[in-house]
Amino acid sequence: MPYMLISTQIRLETGPTNVGDEYSDPAVMNYLGARKTTMLGNNFSEYHVDDPPRLVLDKLEKIGFRVMTMTGVGQTLVWCLHKEGE
């Protein structure tokens, strides 16, 4: 999967960071040390890490991901990353 979204709440810049959904690459999620959770009332799962977004971005850069864009949506910060095909 060449694209990835990570996000955090504005007041939580120190973590946790949302790093994926139930369809995310398990190898990347394992590398990040992410845990898969399902919030009560949701019918989907998400992966989270306790690290702040900056550390997550540093880790993802080491395995070839590059930030394409970043934006704020309400109280959420979102980064879109891309990894070139091999």
Side-chain angles (χ1 to χ4, degrees):
M1 291 184 213
Y3 287 94
M4 184 170 183
L5 294 175
I6 70 166
S7 64
T8 193
Q9 298 298 307
I10 288 177
R11 298 273 184 200
L12 302 174
E13 294 94 347
T14 58
T17 304
N18 180 348
V19 294
D21 61 20
E22 57 200 346
Y23 304 108
S24 296
D25 183 343
V28 174
M29 297 300 108
N30 187 51
Y31 169 74
L32 293 173
R35 62 191 179 285
K36 189 176 181 180
T37 60
T38 304
M39 300 295 285
L40 184 63
N42 288 349
N43 62 353
F44 59 90
S45 300
E46 297 175 303
Y47 283 95
H48 297 87
V49 295
D50 290 329
D51 296 332
R54 184 186 59 79
L55 291 181
V56 173
L57 292 168
D58 288 347
K59 288 179 181 180
L60 290 170
E61 182 181 42
K62 289 179 183 175
I63 60 171
F65 282 91
R66 299 289 180 259
V67 174
M68 301 302 294
T69 189
M70 183 271 182
T71 190
V73 181
Q75 296 293 309
T76 304
L77 301 174
V78 182
W79 292 261
C80 177
L81 297 94
H82 182 263
K83 183 177 183 178
E84 290 294 327
E86 299 168 0

